């Protein structure tokens, strides 16, 4: 079958407005669930990060309350431990888009720190969008879209219907007041047609080859939409 590129954060913190470094990384469910869906369908997953660093896990994403209880948390931790690709990423700077049938960005607050200002990722996103390949981006990972600046200064995703972690969710999560900026606001500022769903409920928006999910619960249906486009 095909190879699917996972572009993941290399940041283990998110710098708040007062300079505090909030521990973060990638969100387990948003990486594990799509990985399982893609590999079950026979696809190979390759992970890329800035500089090829091992993507740091947001340890909070293994808490029982985010995994349906203690048993679910253990299952998620066990699944993570079994996925060797997350421990052996390639360098994002050396990725050749032509090697992949689809691109997927999982979230967590990590992308707010690094991918939001990563020019290599921005160019990859521009190229993936233009190529027509399925491009899936979930939760806080749409922060990476902010770096997709075209030669004329416009953002490649201006005018696209999309979603991402909402202001309401950031407020309910307790980090909005300390943030330098909020994702929903920035996506609107670049000219995207932001589609807000109910907090914490699955919300997937498909516009051409772009598939975006609002929150962790949207990761699985986002993966399903990517697989539809690969069949």
């Amino acid at each position: 079958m095909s190879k699917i590129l996972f572009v993941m954060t290399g940041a283990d913190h998110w710098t708040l407005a007062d300079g505090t470094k909030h521990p973060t990384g990638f969100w387990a469910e948003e990486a594990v669930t799509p990985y399982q869906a893609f590999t079950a369908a026979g696809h190979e997953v390759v992970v890329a990060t800035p500089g090829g660093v091992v993507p740091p896990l947001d340890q909070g994403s293994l808490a029982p309350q985010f995994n349906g209880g203690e048993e679910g948390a253990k299952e998620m931790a066990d699944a993570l431990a079994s996925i060797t690709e997350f421990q052996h990423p390639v360098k994002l700077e050396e990725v050749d888009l032509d090697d992949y049938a689809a691109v997927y960005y999982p979230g967590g607050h990590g992308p707010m720190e690094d991918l939001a200002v990563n020019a290599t990722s921005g160019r990859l996103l521009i190229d993936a969008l233009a190529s027509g390949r399925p491009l899936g981006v979930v939760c806080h990972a749409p922060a990476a879209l902010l770096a997709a600046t075209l030669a004329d200064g416009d953002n490649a995703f201006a005018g696209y219907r999309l979603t991402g972690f909402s202001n309401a969710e950031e407020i309910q999560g307790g980090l909005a007041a300390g943030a330098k900026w909020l994702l929903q606001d920035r996506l609107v500022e670049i000219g995207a047609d932001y589609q807000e769903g109910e907090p914490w409920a699955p919300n997937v928006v498909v516009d051409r080859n772009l598939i975006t999910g609002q929150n962790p619960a949207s990761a699985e249906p986002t993966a399903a939409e990517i697989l539809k486009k690969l069949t």
Side-chain angles (χ1 to χ4, degrees), residues 118-197:
N118 187 291
T120 301
S121 172
R123 288 192 297 272
L124 177 71
L125 286 165
I126 292 168
D127 292 344
L129 192 67
S131 74
R133 289 172 174 79
L135 172 60
V137 195
V138 166
C139 199
H140 286 95
L145 309 187
L146 304 179
T149 305
L150 299 169
D152 62 4
D154 289 339
N155 189 281
F157 295 88
Y160 274 78
R161 294 176 62 254
L162 53 77
T163 192
F165 204 67
S166 68
N167 288 356
E169 287 165 325
E170 205 72 85
I171 290 167
Q172 291 175 23
L175 290 173
K180 291 181 180 179
W181 50 273
L182 299 179
L183 179 58
Q184 179 178 340
D185 293 343
R186 285 291 179 89
L187 292 173
V188 172
E189 288 171 8
I190 65 170
D193 182 4
Y194 180 85
Q195 305 287 307
E196 183 176 359

Side-chain angles (χ1 to χ4, degrees), residues 3 9 14 16 21 24 48 50 64 75 99 101 110 117 120 123 127 156 162 164 176 206 214:
K3 288 199 292 187
T9 182
W14 178 33
L16 302 180
K21 293 184 177 181
T24 186
E75 289 176 357
D99 293 338
V117 293
T120 301
R123 288 192 297 272
D127 292 344
L162 53 77
V206 180
Q214 180 172 319

Side-chain angles (χ1 to χ4, degrees), residues 14-185:
W14 178 33
T15 305
L16 302 180
D18 65 359
T20 301
K21 293 184 177 181
H22 177 74
T24 186
F26 73 89
W27 197 260
E29 179 181 1
E30 297 168 21
V32 170
T33 304
Y35 173 91
Q36 291 173 331
F38 296 147
T39 55
H43 300 287
E44 178 186 350
V45 168
V46 175
V47 173
T49 62
V53 302
V54 174
L57 170 69
D58 187 325
Q59 294 296 329
S61 66
L62 293 182
Q65 64 263 37
F66 299 125
N67 292 283
E70 293 284 354
E71 184 176 344
K74 183 180 184 304
E75 289 176 357
M76 185 63 70
D78 288 346
L80 269 174
S82 71
I83 299 173
T84 58
E85 290 90 338
F86 293 164
Q87 299 302 314
H88 302 283
V90 301
K91 293 181 180 179
L92 180 60
E93 298 80 5
E94 297 177 357
V95 163
D96 183 347
L97 182 62
D98 289 340
D99 293 338
Y100 302 95
V103 178
Y104 174 71
Y105 279 64
H109 280 100
M112 301 276 280
E113 184 74 18
D114 63 350
L115 297 180
V117 293
N118 187 291
T120 301
S121 172
R123 288 192 297 272
L124 177 71
L125 286 165
I126 292 168
D127 292 344
L129 192 67
S131 74
R133 289 172 174 79
L135 172 60
V137 195
V138 166
C139 199
H140 286 95
L145 309 187
L146 304 179
T149 305
L150 299 169
D152 62 4
D154 289 339
N155 189 281
F157 295 88
Y160 274 78
R161 294 176 62 254
L162 53 77
T163 192
F165 204 67
S166 68
N167 288 356
E169 287 165 325
E170 205 72 85
I171 290 167
Q172 291 175 23
L175 290 173
K180 291 181 180 179
W181 50 273
L182 299 179
L183 179 58
Q184 179 178 340
D185 293 343

